[in-house]
Amino acid sequence: MNDAVMAKYTKDKKVGEGTFAVVYVGKQVKTDRKIAIKQIKEGEFKDGVDMSAIREIKFLQEIRHANVIELIDVFTAGPRLSMVLEFLPTDLEGLIKDTKILFRLGDVKAWMLMATRGLHHCHRLQILHRDLKPNNLLISPTGELKIADFGLARQMPNPKDKMTPTVVTRWYRAPELLFGARYYTPAVDVWSLGLIFAELMLRLPYCPGEDDIDQIDKTFRAFGTPTEEEWPGLTSLPAYPKTVNKYPHPSVQELKMRFSAATENGLELFQAMTELNPADRVSCEEALTADYFTEFPRPTKLAELPGRTE
Amino acid sequence: MSANYWTSSQRLHWLLTKETLAERRKGLEDIFDPGKLQTIKALNPWHVRVYLHTLIHLLGQNLSIRQRILATAEVYLTRFHTKVPFGEINPYLVVATAVYVACKVEEHPQHIRTITSEARSLWPDYISHDPTKIAECEFYLIEELGTYLVIFHPYKSLMQISDAMARSNAQITMAPEEIQVTWSMINDSYITDLHLLNPPHIVAMACIYMTVVLRSHIMRMTMPSEAVKSRIEAFMTFFGESNVDLEQTIDCVQEMISLYVNWDTYSEKQCRVEIAKVIT
Ligand SMILES: Nc1ncnc2c1ncn2[C@@H]1O[C@H](COP(=O)(O)OP(=O)(O)OP(=O)(O)O)[C@@H](O)[C@H]1O
């Protein structure tokens, strides 16, 4: 580690800054491979290494998968910790917002397939991501989608261990989290993926709540208000609101109108990923066998996907 | 063993052979001058390990930290000492830092100030008020661990194996007090190198073996000895069919026995004094 490791990489220019890190691009000297160096901010060190950085290092050292960002190396220089990551210049949010790019059905399918595979791998290792959103799904120069940002991730706890419900960026937050559930499952990530699916089809966020209360209302408006029969235990969740607006569940017809380009199999998968009751929501493993992924049109080949830079 | 262990950093990067471990330790001795090396080598290494174990548990109890997290901290400490020899840096600081990092990794973070002040109240001669000391040491520790932080423990295997025992033959169902004894043996196993040399399920099996086979005469004094014998036979049948490596398990059992033998001659007070000589 340290100097010997650092000498293996060049740090060329700053490309971005997040809450706890500054990101530079550089090269792996030996291979000339482009890399990103994520340097944890120094200020944090008086209080020890930030939890997000700990989580990111901890999990990325355990996960190796084509659809999860690769942690190539970690080094310390001075009182700073730096992660060497594979270089991923584009993210799905950028592509969604770039109105010059047209998405074909196969493009959306290819991204959904790669995201579901990456997430399935995390779940198989008992890891919850807890912050899936378009801006954490990065695109490699060759067009591969990679799940990134494990700063909120955690190991699936023992059944008795509580977890905090204040995870996941609001628009992608599953209903059980909105209601303050302290025990939840990988289904929270599947919900986020479902909302990303909708956003890929619409090119707009599907449930853009303005605050936590509005988020519940927008979620019910989009998916219908669940009942205690459909979801036993629902109304006793810690943050279930005293009064809720009652909206009907959207009919198939209604959904077809909202997602005019989607196929029936596509809508079926979307619905399965966004079941309000987490116990009824599809798992990644099941999702991967959905007819949507095998029906025509096939997922676009990497070489033809928008967003690749090579 | 859970699927994730097989692809884990623990298996891929931190599972050592006895030979590698011995070589690494030998290599570490070079950094000391001959005088200091002599003082260090005069220490009983088992006693040093028991002492560190006691320190971790003392700090852990005062902060009400769970056993599992302390176990993670102990593995960090053992790994750290394959890179940095005991006596090179203040062991009290390393102990406090290992506990601090383990709490974060196991998702029960403690404030760095809380750990600092608790450690200081326990060991005022060795821990300063300044929390940045732990922050600096955290860096060093994480670096020496190769930034591999996830630790798999035998506790889960213990539950899985004991369930399998009950399913395979009612006669070898583990009684609650047997599980309890095995559990605390696993706690003790962190004093040894077993977690560097074996996957967790082997350590679990070794501790079960000790409870069911070696301690059964003591534990089940009320049972006629014929019954004890037949139960041990039933257990050995289960073991034989279980795919758990017998030789490796027995190796672990012997290591645990060495630990207990050496523990018998341990005096905390004497060890504290001897260690003080080394680190000043
Ligand atoms: N692997 C990478 N390759 C190329 N650029 C990257 C890479 N990772 C991050 N970046 C760039 O650096 C910026 C900051 O990334 P970082 O992950 O630190 O924060 P963030 O996710 O944008 O925000 P936050 O920390 O608030 O979640 C990103 O917006 C992106 O532009």
Side-chain angles (χ1 to χ4, degrees):
Chain A
M1 290 244 286
N2 50 52
D3 294 352
V5 175
M6 202 164 88
K8 293 199 295 191
Y9 308 97
T10 63
K11 191 167 91 181
D12 302 338
K13 72 170 203 290
K14 182 171 158 178
V15 288
E17 189 163 343
T19 345
F20 73 91
V22 182
V23 180
Y24 301 86
V25 289
K27 281 214 170 87
Q28 189 168 36
V29 176
K30 204 169 76 189
T31 58
D32 220 35
R33 175 185 181 188
K34 235 177 163 180
I35 47 110
I37 296 181
K38 192 163 177 175
Q39 191 177 69
I40 315 300
K41 286 180 188 171
E42 196 177 9
E44 310 289 336
F45 277 116
K46 291 196 180 56
D47 293 323
V49 180
D50 185 82
M51 272 299 274
S52 309
I54 292 270
R55 292 196 189 105
E56 188 136 83
I57 291 173
K58 162 185 164 187
F59 288 118
L60 289 181
Q61 288 289 26
E62 303 295 315
I63 307 173
R64 289 275 174 277
H65 190 272
N67 300 117
V68 176
I69 188 170
E70 182 192 353
L71 177 62
I72 301 166
D73 229 329
V74 183
F75 63 83
T76 55
R80 281 208 199 100
L81 205 55
S82 294
M83 290 182 251
V84 181
L85 296 161
E86 65 178 310
F87 176 65
L88 301 170
T90 313
D91 66 63
L92 219 47
E93 185 187 18
L95 292 180
I96 290 170
K97 287 193 172 148
D98 186 343
T99 47
K100 293 194 298 296
I101 303 173
L102 190 77
F103 290 178
R104 292 157 297 184
L105 288 178
D107 301 346
V108 172
K109 191 174 295 188
W111 288 320
M112 282 306 293
L113 185 57
M114 291 189 278
T116 310
R117 282 184 179 147
L119 186 61
H120 174 235
H121 187 71
C122 297
H123 288 176
R124 216 170 32 189
L125 298 181
Q126 316 270 315
I127 298 167
L128 310 184
H129 184 283
R130 305 199 302 178
D131 197 16
L132 290 178
K133 53 181 170 181
N135 137 292
N136 285 338
L137 300 180
L138 307 187
I139 307 291
S140 81
T142 56
E144 272 186 299
L145 179 148
K146 314 262 181 172
I147 299 177
D149 197 346
F150 282 71
L152 267 178
R154 70 165 289 169
Q155 201 75 37
M156 217 116 59
N158 295 322
K160 284 170 294 177
D161 277 0
K162 289 183 180 176
M163 293 185 282
T164 170
T166 51
V167 292
V168 188
T169 305
R170 189 186 301 124
W171 298 350
Y172 307 92
R173 205 177 286 158
E176 62 271 32
L177 297 174
L178 295 173
F179 304 144
R182 307 297 306 267
Y183 306 95
Y184 49 86
T185 64
V188 298
D189 290 334
V190 175
W191 176 277
S192 306
L193 212 52
L195 273 279
I196 294 168
F197 192 10
E199 191 164 334
L200 284 169
M201 294 191 276
L202 300 174
R203 305 292 289 263
L204 281 174
Y206 192 52
C207 277
E210 272 147 36
D211 51 46
D212 291 358
I213 298 184
D214 185 47
Q215 189 63 38
I216 294 182
D217 196 63
K218 286 218 164 71
T219 302
F220 288 174
R221 206 187 283 263
F223 298 98
T225 306
T227 62
E228 181 73 25
E229 286 85 69
E230 291 161 352
W231 181 349
L234 165 72
T235 48
S236 27
L237 285 171
Y240 189 79
K242 288 204 177 57
T243 55
V244 292
N245 292 324
K246 301 251 188 311
Y247 301 99
H249 297 294
S251 64
V252 175
Q253 216 39 52
E254 168 69 23
L255 279 179
K256 277 186 180 159
M257 256 161 54
R258 289 187 204 169
F259 301 95
S260 48
T263 64
E264 249 162 67
N265 285 328
L267 286 181
E268 195 171 296
L269 177 61
F270 168 66
Q271 267 190 299
M273 289 181 139
T274 53
E275 280 290 346
L276 288 156
N277 180 353
D280 294 338
R281 215 169 293 150
V282 72
S283 68
C284 285
E285 193 171 355
E286 293 157 349
L288 286 173
T289 65
D291 292 339
Y292 168 69
F293 288 123
T294 46
E295 73 172 357
F296 191 81
R298 310 309 305 273
T300 307
K301 292 195 188 75
L302 285 186
E304 289 155 20
L305 271 177
R308 78 200 180 287
T309 43
E310 255 171 28
Chain B
M1 199 68 244
S2 46
N4 26 353
Y5 172 74
W6 300 103
T7 58
S8 68
S9 60
Q10 179 164 339
R11 179 164 172 272
L12 301 177
H13 302 281
W14 271 109
L15 192 59
L16 310 178
T17 62
K18 277 189 179 163
E19 293 70 34
T20 339
L21 182 58
E23 262 168 49
R24 274 200 198 170
R25 293 223 167 104
K26 191 91 190 73
L28 294 178
E29 292 178 357
D30 299 343
I31 68 152
F32 295 116
D33 61 67
K36 179 149 184 183
L37 186 58
Q38 213 169 13
T39 343
I40 292 173
K41 288 193 120 175
L43 297 168
N44 176 334
W46 284 108
H47 290 176
V48 173
R49 298 285 287 271
V50 172
Y51 187 71
L52 292 174
H53 175 79
T54 323
L55 296 184
I56 286 201
H57 280 260
L58 197 59
L59 182 59
Q61 268 156 26
N62 287 11
L63 292 166
S64 310
I65 294 168
R66 295 184 196 186
Q67 171 54 38
R68 191 199 145 78
I69 301 175
L70 300 180
T72 296
E74 280 196 89
V75 176
Y76 290 165
L77 202 65
T78 313
R79 288 182 179 182
F80 179 77
H81 281 135
T82 67
K83 296 290 187 82
V84 180
F86 179 81
E88 164 77 356
I89 75 166
N90 176 355
Y92 297 89
L93 179 62
V94 183
V95 161
T97 308
V99 170
Y100 173 63
V101 176
C103 285
K104 287 202 279 195
V105 170
E106 302 285 351
E107 291 286 341
H108 286 273
Q110 297 273 339
H111 207 287
I112 195 162
R113 278 180 187 74
T114 315
I115 301 251
T116 303
S117 69
E118 197 55 51
R120 180 168 165 81
S121 76
L122 286 170
W123 313 303
D125 296 343
Y126 300 103
I127 301 283
S128 82
H129 290 289
D130 180 8
T132 56
K133 288 280 178 285
I134 291 186
E136 281 163 22
C137 189
E138 176 182 30
F139 246 127
Y140 187 27
L141 177 68
I142 291 179
E143 180 173 334
E144 296 303 340
L145 296 176
T147 70
Y148 299 114
L149 301 174
V150 175
I151 309 290
F152 290 83
H153 295 289
Y155 300 106
K156 204 168 177 180
S157 303
L158 164 60
M159 298 329 284
Q160 285 164 345
I161 297 173
S162 71
D163 285 351
M165 284 162 70
R167 270 196 316 266
S168 93
N169 183 344
Q171 195 188 2
I172 55 170
T173 303
M174 289 179 85
E177 70 270 18
E178 283 182 310
I179 299 221
Q180 199 58 52
V181 168
T182 313
W183 190 279
S184 48
M185 255 185 236
I186 292 177
N187 295 349
D188 296 342
S189 72
Y190 289 93
I191 302 170
T192 69
D193 292 329
L194 290 182
H195 300 272
L196 294 180
L197 303 172
N198 302 279
H201 70 278
I202 301 267
V203 179
M205 193 57 134
C207 293
I208 292 174
Y209 180 95
M210 290 185 72
T211 306
V212 174
V213 178
L214 304 184
R215 291 185 53 126
S216 65
H217 292 278
I218 312 164
M219 298 275 298
R220 301 195 163 239
M221 266 189 299
T222 50
M223 227 198 253
S225 69
E226 269 315 302
V228 171
K229 237 174 89 188
S230 112
R231 186 170 187 256
I232 290 176
E233 272 161 21
F235 173 74
M236 290 314 289
T237 308
F238 166 82
F239 193 168
E241 287 164 358
S242 73
N243 278 331
V244 178
D245 190 314
L246 178 70
E247 206 178 317
Q248 211 180 342
T249 306
I250 297 304
D251 232 35
C252 291
V253 169
Q254 275 158 356
E255 190 73 2
M256 289 298 289
I257 292 173
S258 304
L259 164 66
Y260 289 125
V261 168
N262 279 278
W263 207 334
D264 276 346
T265 59
Y266 170 75
S267 145
E268 184 174 324
K269 199 168 146 216
Q270 192 187 344
C271 200
R272 184 184 315 123
V273 173
E274 282 169 7
I275 286 174
K277 284 187 218 145
V278 171
I279 62 178
T280 43

